[in-house]
Amino acid sequence: MSKGYVLVVDDEPDIRGLVREILEDEGYEVATAESGSEARGLLHARQPDLVLLDIWMPGEDGISLLREWAGGGTPAFPVVMISGHGTVETAVEATRQGAVDFVEKPLSMGKLIATVEQALQQPVTAAAGADGMSAMIEPVGRSTVMRNLREQAERVAASESWVLVTGEPGSGRKCLARYIHHLSPRRGGPLVEVAAGTIAGQSAAEELFGQQRGGRVIPGRLESAAGGTLILDGATDLDGEAQTRLASAIDAGGFQRVGDSQRIPLDVRVIAITRHDLAAEAAAGQFREDLAYSLSVIPMWVPPLREHAEDIPELVSFYVDRLVEAEQLGYRRFTVAAQNRLRNHDWPGNVRELRNLVQRLLVLGDGLDIDVGEVEEALSVVRTGSTEGEWPPALTLDLPLREAREHFERAYLQKQLQRADGSVAQLARLAGMERTHLYRKLRSLGIDPRETGQSGGGRA
């Protein structure tokens, strides 16, 4: 008896043949299509139990097909996206349209079979939302420290223990947290990410636990992550009231929505991220001691880039490939001398700074080769700062008052974020603003606090 009918949509004949062979050996019935139009014909003839859909295809891409099948809701069958160039942005877009998972080429036989099995076990209505899944992008690097980090992540992922990820801003802490979720038994569940500084004040209970108004239920962060993982970014920015409420829910093993008497069990794995020493914060009275213990059952540390500089050539290649594919930038290659110069930079902004530099050189440069002179010039701009970072900001009297005020506010808050090293809690103190209002202001000005901080580091 067939274990299910799977449709594979991919423009590469070798991939279609390989996937078909693997799945048929496992007892599945498989049909293949090389294009969107061929997939439509097969769907019209028979609805599959599962679709494996390539993102990057000539003509009509996989995201457009998925959007068509979803029709503004969820597809009538589970869809797993396949790509040789996975990015978090692409995965988020795919889940917005109703995809249930995401796998990367080259395909691993074991990973493919496990993904298909898990996707078929999920009810179609359980497709995650925009925060429900991340791309499978493992921490890059062949150095000893990065190999050890991946091995540790694989061991940690197999457990249900809560994890505390520390390290410098921009070092790849969130990438590691997503990697752990993707390897874990909870990978079929949602992945919800939240900046801890946004859970503050009187709204803390509603943000964490959700609310019920009349007959309408608005899930909170913990409920949205049920069965999956909650990434708590900037854990030390969690305010006192939110700390108390979260600690109480952990102690009770459950919580109630605001305005509702129903008890909801706490079924979530929390991966907390911070650049600070949580134990030291607790000892200094800046963080609840019991919550610090709960969040740091398994501590993990992501090394700064300067401690594995031998990985820079591989990281450069990784970012070039993905930026060329995802943003349709022209391909350029770094000469050996240019790579060597990058290896000898101190990288205060870590891997995020490196990615930004690669992107800048792909966007602004000409010619196939990126030589050491071009790299030196780009690094010089980072050291001296661009006009965007000048203070006080240059203002023109030709602007209307509202635009001039927004121009000043944007420059002011970006400068203060650099002083606060990307910490919204510290920024609120420097600017004298209440944190909830501050987050609204940052969003209205298009400022992402995670992308702003000392030397471009911000919070990873």
Side-chain angles (χ1 to χ4, degrees):
M1 179 182 293
S2 170
K3 293 168 66 176
Y5 172 50
V6 180
L7 173 61
V8 180
V9 185
D10 195 299
D11 64 302
E12 296 183 56
D14 291 345
I15 294 294
R16 294 198 305 273
L18 174 64
V19 174
R20 181 171 201 153
E21 181 179 347
I22 291 172
L23 294 182
E24 286 182 342
D25 285 347
E26 290 296 312
Y28 296 95
E29 184 180 359
V30 182
T32 63
E34 66 176 0
S35 65
S37 59
E38 187 176 355
R40 286 189 189 92
L42 291 170
L43 283 168
H44 181 72
R46 179 183 178 188
Q47 180 173 304
D49 298 308
L50 171 70
V51 174
L52 296 174
L53 177 60
D54 188 25
I55 289 181
W56 307 112
M57 296 186 294
E60 194 166 16
D61 64 274
I63 296 292
S64 298
L65 271 177
L66 177 61
R67 188 180 296 117
E68 175 187 314
W69 296 339
T74 301
F77 39 81
V79 179
V80 173
M81 307 305 293
I82 305 174
S83 175
H85 301 276
T87 67
V88 172
E89 291 79 10
T90 304
V92 168
E93 177 59 21
T95 49
R96 284 197 181 103
Q97 305 304 327
V100 299
D101 213 334
F102 188 103
V103 293
E104 279 195 287
K105 301 175 184 175
L107 298 174
S108 159
M109 182 182 301
K111 189 178 298 181
L112 175 65
I113 293 170
T115 300
V116 168
E117 289 176 349
Q118 290 177 350
L120 287 170
Q121 289 171 5
Q122 293 186 55
V124 172
T125 55
D131 292 325
M133 179 198 66
S134 72
M136 175 58 166
I137 300 178
E138 67 179 27
V140 176
R142 302 178 185 176
S143 63
T144 300
V145 293
M146 293 307 293
R147 288 201 307 270
N148 290 342
L149 185 67
R150 287 193 296 271
E151 290 172 2
Q152 185 183 7
E154 291 169 6
R155 292 193 299 270
V156 168
S159 75
E160 286 286 308
S161 301
W162 290 16
V163 183
L164 177 67
V165 179
T166 59
E168 295 180 5
S171 58
R173 298 167 300 177
K174 192 177 290 185
C175 174
L176 177 65
R178 292 167 176 154
Y179 183 59
I180 291 171
H181 167 77
H182 195 97
L183 293 176
S184 76
R186 290 179 172 266
R187 66 186 298 255
L191 175 61
V192 175
E193 300 177 14
V194 57
T198 64
I199 304 176
Q202 296 300 316
S203 65
E206 294 175 356
E207 286 282 343
L208 285 171
F209 309 134
Q211 56 184 305
Q212 181 166 333
R213 293 179 179 174
R216 185 186 178 199
V217 171
I218 304 174
R221 306 287 188 167
L222 294 173
E223 187 175 355
S224 297
T229 303
L230 177 74
I231 296 180
L232 188 63
D233 191 13
T236 50
D237 286 344
L238 204 62
D239 83 348
E241 184 171 349
Q243 290 180 38
T244 298
R245 292 184 181 276
L246 181 55
S248 297
I250 294 170
D251 185 57
F255 56 91
Q256 294 175 333
R257 301 187 196 100
V258 175
D260 189 9
S261 59
Q262 179 185 354
R263 184 180 182 278
I264 301 171
L266 186 64
D267 177 21
V268 64
R269 182 187 204 175
V270 174
I271 303 179
I273 298 174
T274 181
R275 60 165 300 174
H276 300 290
D277 184 335
L278 203 56
E281 294 281 307
Q286 301 298 314
F287 201 86
R288 283 187 65 106
E289 189 173 34
D290 55 349
L291 183 58
Y293 286 135
S294 296
L295 294 177
S296 55
V297 175
I298 300 181
M300 296 187 69
W301 176 73
V302 181
L305 182 54
R306 62 182 175 274
E307 294 191 9
H308 58 108
E310 63 266 40
D311 291 325
I312 286 175
E314 185 177 356
L315 282 162
V316 167
S317 176
F318 174 87
Y319 288 132
V320 167
D321 289 346
R322 274 152 177 76
L323 288 167
V324 167
E325 188 71 32
E327 301 187 16
Q328 304 300 304
L329 300 178
Y331 176 78
R332 305 187 72 202
R333 64 190 180 200
F334 286 73
T335 65
V336 173
Q339 293 181 50
N340 188 56
R341 176 63 186 90
L342 294 176
R343 288 187 61 171
N344 287 282
H345 182 59
D346 57 359
W347 300 110
N350 293 296
V351 292
R352 182 187 294 143
E353 182 186 356
L354 175 63
R355 180 196 182 279
N356 292 345
L357 184 76
V358 171
Q359 184 176 28
R360 188 180 308 120
L361 290 168
L362 292 181
V363 171
L364 300 178
D366 294 315
L368 177 61
D369 287 338
I370 299 173
D371 60 22
V372 67
E374 194 174 351
V375 167
E376 192 64 62
E377 183 179 355
L379 290 172
S380 176
V381 170
V382 173
R383 284 193 299 268
T384 59
S386 64
T387 55
E388 195 176 281
E390 290 178 358
W391 190 264
L395 290 175
T396 171
L397 296 179
D398 294 334
L399 290 174
L401 176 61
R402 179 177 178 180
E403 291 184 22
R405 183 172 61 246
E406 289 181 354
H407 182 86
F408 174 82
E409 288 179 339
R410 184 179 294 106
Y412 170 82
L413 290 172
Q414 287 174 333
K415 195 70 176 180
Q416 294 287 47
L417 264 173
Q418 291 177 358
R419 290 181 60 198
D421 201 13
S423 167
V424 176
Q426 177 64 14
L427 173 62
R429 289 190 286 270
L430 290 172
M433 297 176 67
E434 193 273 325
R435 228 186 296 179
T436 303
H437 175 64
L438 176 59
Y439 265 99
R440 285 198 295 268
K441 173 63 72 173
L442 292 174
R443 282 196 296 271
S444 71
L445 295 172
I447 300 173
D448 186 347
R450 296 169 298 181
E451 300 294 334
T452 308
Q454 188 177 45
S455 303
R459 291 188 180 278

